[in-house]
Amino acid sequence: MIQLLIVDDEVHVVDRLFSTIHWGSAGVEQVYKAYSGKEALELLEQICIDIVITDIQMPGISGLQLIGEINRRWPKTRCILLSGYSDFNYAKEAILQGTEDYLLKPVTEEDLLSTVNRVKDKLQREWEEVVSRQRLAYTLKENLPLLRGNLLNDLLQGRKIPEYSLRDKMQALELIGYHEHAFAIMMIRLETEFLEYDIGRLSLMEYAIGNMAEELFGEKFDSWYTKDAHDYLVFVIKGKGRQEWPDKEETAWLERTASVLQSAVHNYLKGKISILVSSWGRFPDDLKGLYNRSLSAFRKRIGNEHELFMRLGDEPAQTELSALQRLYEPPALNHLLEAARWEDTEEKLSVIFDEMEAKYPESQEHLLEVYFSIASAFAYITHKNGRQLHQLIGPDYDRMTEGIPFRTVNQLREWSLRALQRMKEDMDQERKDSRVSLINEIRSFIEQHLSGDVSLQSIANHVYMHPVYVSKIYKLETGDNLSDYVNRLRMDKAAHLLKHSQDKIYEIATQLGYQRPHSFNHAFKKHYGMTPQEYRDQYS
């Protein structure tokens, strides 16, 4: 839907176009008003406007100057000139400024809507070109390394991606032949001189190392790499064409080539790196496990030493005691709660407890690990929202002060889901109360200032909120456009005054904020299908 701005220093012209034109028929969602070029620029800085209809002759910033500034700062915004001056020089200057059309006052509703529709269609075609398949394919190609790296990082961090979706993503990123294929992880840590580089130079070095690795391994292996959360370069390496485990000779070649890479970085990039090469696994099932083992080995066996090379053996991972995978894989509980994704939070808790019951049903160590993580997340989001946890979860809060409040997985599950539900209900009610209060404050302001400035900007200033937010929330909560409400309120009050007062029509127009009776007559007839005088005559 289109956002449109009307600009004219003649208040009655703006008000008449605003209130009498059926903008919805042209796909216009919201109409804004400005009574000067300066006011228009201030509004454009806050709100994304698609089409501007502006007069030419205005004091201060003229219409042509306004259009020039719009073209410079908001090139996607389209402009239509509306003026009573039929001088060809104006039209010529308007064309040079890139104006979409030049309409003469008084313009008919049909001509204005036809022009807006044409400009809207042009905007639609331009945006279709931006998102065209050809252009998206080119952009995708340009950003392949970054997109590939982001996907690998998600997998290393444990993000769950359905197999069909992962296959589609990898095919789109031209990562072919990885599924069910044998692979190894090569992990690289940049050291010494590299650590002194600024971000820009360090990124360049990382990119260079990635290119060197692809060049060296390309004879026998495909590689796919990213920079992980610990600042390691992590490569997934697989043999070309074959799915089976590489033999000893190929494995030895891989390790020798990794050693060559280490030397090449030292000689040509003048920096030191340590490298770890993992054992083989099957993609994607073994990716997370091999990555975690490699991280652990780097930490325990390489530590703070520099320029080491290590092969991760095929010994099984230690499983006597380990952290719960589902508890720490993204998205984190904190992030889900911050986004108010209640259903996803409940699902996250469920899979955490399912893993607990499957792997460590009797482990008090893991029960405490999960409890502290959940309690911390609950307290974090509650305090961030300016609340206290004991106010939200009531008696369940007492369990948190008892030392070891839960002895079984099921007890912790029930407590967590119950507390989550209470937090959701409280925050939903708080949001609802806040919005109801906002709507009431908006309506009260409009009723009190109906004879003055009740523009969206003045309303937004009154409630200390962004005008776009005010407009959206009002529509969301009431199903009505704010401008329609203002117009309906004016018309209701006009009808009441026409029936129950002796005020002259021009006096009623002034009471309702219209600068000219002519604009009031237009708006009233548009709403009731008759002039104010005809309406009054019915009740006299």
Side-chain angles (χ1 to χ4, degrees):
M1 297 291 282
I2 296 296
Q3 308 264 62
L4 183 139
L5 170 63
I6 304 170
V7 190
D8 200 315
D9 62 310
E10 295 185 85
V11 176
H12 72 279
V13 172
V14 175
D15 290 347
R16 181 173 64 82
L17 293 178
F18 178 85
S19 59
T20 63
I21 303 293
H22 183 42
W23 295 108
S25 64
V28 176
E29 178 183 26
Q30 184 70 50
V31 181
Y32 300 90
K33 299 186 290 184
Y35 302 110
S36 68
K38 180 176 180 293
E39 189 177 339
L41 289 174
E42 290 173 352
L43 199 146
L44 281 158
E45 287 174 349
Q46 299 184 60
I47 300 171
C48 179
I49 300 293
D50 300 294
I51 299 173
V52 174
I53 300 174
T54 180
D55 185 30
I56 285 184
Q57 294 283 22
M58 295 186 293
I61 300 174
S62 72
L64 293 177
Q65 290 172 325
L66 174 61
I67 290 172
E69 190 68 10
I70 289 172
N71 289 340
R72 185 179 71 84
R73 297 172 63 183
W74 302 284
K76 289 297 181 184
T77 298
R78 296 293 173 259
C79 299
I80 300 168
L81 268 174
L82 187 62
S83 177
Y85 297 85
S86 56
D87 192 316
F88 175 72
N89 289 329
Y90 282 121
K92 182 171 67 174
E93 180 66 20
I95 292 170
L96 291 175
Q97 290 279 20
T99 306
E100 295 297 326
D101 211 334
Y102 182 98
L103 301 176
L104 296 177
K105 296 177 182 176
V107 64
T108 66
E109 179 174 347
E110 181 181 357
D111 286 345
L112 189 53
L113 289 178
S114 175
T115 300
V116 170
N117 263 313
R118 180 171 54 77
V119 175
K120 181 195 70 173
D121 291 342
K122 182 178 179 181
L123 276 170
Q124 178 70 23
R125 291 192 299 272
E126 290 175 355
W127 281 112
E128 285 174 352
E129 172 62 24
V130 169
V131 298
S132 67
R133 184 177 297 274
Q134 181 178 2
R135 187 159 180 175
L136 289 176
Y138 174 79
T139 304
L140 179 65
K141 194 79 172 178
E142 288 289 297
N143 292 279
L144 268 182
L146 175 63
L147 296 172
R148 287 171 172 173
N150 289 343
L151 177 59
L152 181 53
N153 228 327
D154 284 346
L155 295 173
L156 295 177
Q157 296 303 313
R159 185 176 296 278
K160 296 300 178 183
I161 303 176
E163 183 177 348
Y164 69 88
S165 179
L166 178 58
R167 287 182 181 273
D168 288 346
K169 287 177 183 288
M170 294 184 69
Q171 184 173 2
L173 297 177
E174 300 178 10
L175 295 165
I176 308 301
Y178 278 83
H179 271 79
E180 304 303 324
H181 204 295
F183 77 95
I185 283 179
M186 180 174 70
M187 188 174 287
I188 297 176
R189 184 180 69 190
L190 279 66
E191 299 163 343
T192 58
E193 292 85 355
F194 289 126
L195 302 180
E196 300 174 2
Y197 292 168
D198 59 39
I199 293 177
R201 191 178 179 194
L202 182 60
S203 296
L204 190 62
M205 291 298 103
E206 291 166 351
Y207 185 73
I209 292 170
N211 283 347
M212 293 170 76
E214 290 178 356
E215 180 71 21
L216 287 170
F217 293 104
E219 177 186 344
K220 294 180 180 292
F221 293 92
D222 293 321
S223 61
W224 168 25
Y225 81 97
T226 189
K227 183 177 181 178
D228 74 358
H230 309 284
D231 290 333
Y232 295 129
L233 297 182
V234 181
F235 292 76
V236 171
I237 296 178
K238 72 173 184 67
K240 289 183 177 292
R242 298 180 304 157
Q243 289 189 347
E244 63 270 17
W245 251 242
D247 57 27
K248 290 184 178 180
E249 183 178 340
E250 288 174 311
T251 300
W253 186 93
L254 173 64
E255 294 176 11
R256 283 197 304 273
T257 305
S259 182
V260 171
L261 173 63
Q262 191 177 42
S263 297
V265 170
H266 183 100
N267 293 331
Y268 300 109
L269 298 183
K270 307 304 179 184
K272 296 180 180 180
I273 59 174
S274 287
I275 299 180
L276 178 145
V277 178
S278 77
S279 54
W280 297 97
R282 187 75 65 185
F283 187 89
D285 295 343
D286 297 333
L287 180 61
K288 177 66 174 173
L290 268 183
Y291 172 66
N292 285 337
R293 289 178 58 200
S294 299
L295 273 179
S296 178
F298 227 117
R299 183 174 63 250
K300 294 177 181 178
R301 295 163 61 182
I302 294 182
N304 293 324
E305 300 297 328
H306 295 299
E307 209 169 17
L308 296 183
F309 178 88
M310 190 180 78
R311 165 75 179 174
L312 181 65
D314 295 319
E315 70 277 1
Q318 297 296 316
T319 58
E320 295 85 3
L321 192 66
S322 61
L324 289 157
Q325 180 178 337
R326 293 302 185 92
L327 181 61
Y328 299 105
E329 69 185 16
L333 279 172
N334 283 0
H335 298 157
L336 292 173
L337 289 167
E338 278 186 305
R341 292 167 55 184
W342 303 110
E343 291 183 3
D344 291 337
T345 305
E346 185 172 344
E347 174 63 23
K348 172 85 173 180
L349 290 173
S350 294
V351 297
I352 291 170
F353 292 124
D354 288 346
E355 183 181 12
M356 273 280 294
E357 290 178 333
K359 294 182 178 180
Y360 312 107
E362 305 297 329
S363 172
Q364 287 295 308
E365 289 269 352
H366 287 88
L367 200 63
L368 280 174
E369 181 184 4
V370 173
Y371 165 70
F372 287 135
S373 296
I374 293 174
S376 174
F378 283 178
Y380 165 77
I381 194 61
T382 303
H383 296 162
K384 189 169 185 179
N385 287 328
R387 308 278 280 172
Q388 295 190 41
L389 193 56
H390 73 85
Q391 294 175 328
L392 299 188
I393 63 177
D396 282 333
Y397 179 80
D398 296 336
R399 303 293 300 274
M400 301 177 67
T401 64
E402 295 176 359
I404 303 177
F406 304 103
R407 294 294 182 182
T408 68
V409 175
N410 194 51
Q411 284 181 346
L412 182 55
R413 181 198 293 263
E414 291 178 355
W415 175 85
S416 301
L417 295 178
R418 188 168 59 247
L420 177 67
Q421 182 62 27
R422 287 177 176 166
M423 291 173 62
K424 175 183 181 301
E425 290 171 355
D426 181 85
M427 292 182 186
D428 285 349
Q429 186 61 48
E430 184 179 21
R431 182 171 61 253
K432 183 178 180 180
D433 292 344
S434 175
R435 289 184 176 180
V436 168
S437 176
L438 175 63
I439 299 303
N440 290 338
E441 189 171 357
I442 288 171
R443 287 177 171 173
S444 176
F445 177 83
I446 293 170
E447 290 169 4
Q448 293 172 24
H449 297 81
L450 204 56
S451 61
D453 182 9
V454 287
S455 65
L456 178 59
Q457 185 62 58
S458 66
I459 296 169
N461 289 341
H462 177 70
V463 296
Y464 302 102
M465 291 180 178
H466 195 282
V468 172
Y469 177 80
V470 170
S471 177
K472 294 290 185 183
I473 290 298
Y474 191 89
K475 180 68 178 286
L476 183 66
E477 290 298 306
T478 67
D480 202 4
N481 286 324
L482 192 50
S483 57
D484 292 338
Y485 173 75
V486 172
N487 186 59
R488 189 166 62 249
L489 201 63
R490 277 178 167 154
M491 293 302 102
D492 289 346
K493 187 171 182 179
H496 176 80
L497 292 172
L498 288 168
K499 285 192 293 184
H500 301 290
S501 81
Q502 299 301 315
D503 294 341
K504 292 180 172 54
I505 289 175
Y506 76 84
E507 293 174 331
I508 293 175
T510 301
Q511 292 177 47
L512 297 174
Y514 291 95
Q515 300 296 315
R516 294 189 179 182
H518 183 67
S519 299
F520 170 59
N521 289 340
H522 268 286
F524 192 90
K525 187 172 183 179
K526 186 79 173 180
H527 189 79
Y528 285 106
M530 64 183 76
T531 67
Q533 187 59 56
E534 289 169 341
Y535 185 88
R536 171 171 271 177
D537 290 343
Q538 290 185 136
Y539 297 95
S540 60

